[in-house]
Amino acid sequence: QNQEEDQGNQNGDEDGSEEQNQEEDQNDQSQSPVQNLAKTTRFFDGCKPTCAWSGNIQGDTTLGPVFTCSNEFEDGKQIVNDDPNLKSVCGGGGSGPGAAYTCVDRSPFTSNGQMYAFAASNSRCCECYELTFLASSVDGEGNICQGCSSYSGELEGETLVVQVINSGGDLSPTQFDLMIPGGGMGIFNGLVGNPPNGPPLFPQSSYSDWGQRYGGVSSREQCFQLPASVVPGCLWRFDDFKGADNPGVSFRKVKC
């Protein structure tokens, strides 16, 4: 800015330059495409979140690392782990014995009419974003797309505030993968069966109860097949989220 002001003074036409710059800025804005668009998807795998590793917490933040939990429950509440370096049930290094799992209270919820959720994204750990839903879906490159999901604009204009606590090697640079129980396991499965580093989060649950590996359960009624601790988060998808399938969003960073 100082260089532009100096150049205007040297040319002896400061007012004219300023007016010209304003016109150029207006032209640039009218010709620029819409920025900060992203696709949304959904998943819930039970694994230790990326942001639970202290080495993944960058910059000056008081919000991390993210807590992890065990696969044991007392009086309906999941026991929180003390050791932040516990290995993820889904694989990789870390300490033992025992393994780290997602805490099921990281399910989406609505408070005073505002929707909230946790998400995986290739953004910095623990940052928060306000997502405003569009009338259509968005592809992995941030472009409006028609027919790339069954979403039909049912959430248009509504907002969802998310906190990034996870990441994913299969995520595009402009994508928020919402953590919704029953939304599909995705690449990893720490929920049922035989995960690499320990027993599953829900040993009594069946693989088929969780629906498709990508996409999850397909109806509200199927939520009641899931363990009781995650049923509310599953129902949120069909009630507050209106069963929307991968809606497109615009996004902006907000204070957590």
Side-chain angles (χ1 to χ4, degrees), residues 57-240:
I57 306 300
Q58 302 175 2
D60 183 16
T61 176
T62 60
L63 299 176
V66 173
F67 290 126
T68 66
C69 288
S70 75
N71 67 338
E72 297 181 3
F73 293 76
E74 290 183 354
D75 299 326
K77 294 184 178 181
Q78 194 176 10
I79 298 175
V80 177
N81 290 321
D82 295 325
D83 183 359
N85 198 43
L86 277 177
K87 59 189 176 183
S88 172
V89 68
C90 296
S95 61
Y101 304 78
T102 290
C103 298
V104 298
D105 62 3
R106 305 276 158 69
S107 297
F109 63 96
T110 300
S111 177
N112 296 323
Q114 176 63 62
M115 295 186 288
Y116 297 90
F118 298 91
S121 174
N122 291 323
S123 305
R124 278 180 49 180
C125 278
C126 301
E127 289 184 337
C128 291
Y129 293 87
E130 181 186 69
L131 313 183
T132 300
F133 294 104
L134 308 176
S136 60
S137 295
V138 171
D139 64 23
E141 297 181 353
N143 301 312
I144 296 290
C145 61
Q146 303 293 337
C148 50
S149 77
S150 63
Y151 177 63
S152 57
E154 50 267 41
L155 288 173
E156 182 181 7
E158 297 189 45
T159 60
L160 171 68
V161 176
V162 301
Q163 184 174 38
V164 175
I165 65 169
N166 219 329
S167 64
D170 58 338
L171 300 183
S172 70
T174 54
Q175 181 176 353
F176 292 94
D177 204 6
L178 307 178
M179 294 177 63
I180 304 177
M185 299 174 189
I187 295 177
F188 300 103
N189 169 24
L191 299 173
V192 297
N194 298 290
N197 279 344
L201 179 55
F202 298 111
Q204 307 304 318
S205 186
S206 300
Y207 186 92
S208 59
D209 292 342
W210 296 83
Q212 297 180 351
R213 186 72 183 242
Y214 290 89
V217 300
S218 57
S219 70
R220 190 180 191 278
E221 291 69 28
Q222 287 181 299
C223 291
F224 296 101
Q225 301 173 169
L226 303 181
S229 59
V230 296
V231 168
C234 182
L235 293 175
W236 177 91
R237 173 183 156 203
F238 296 96
D239 296 339
D240 299 30

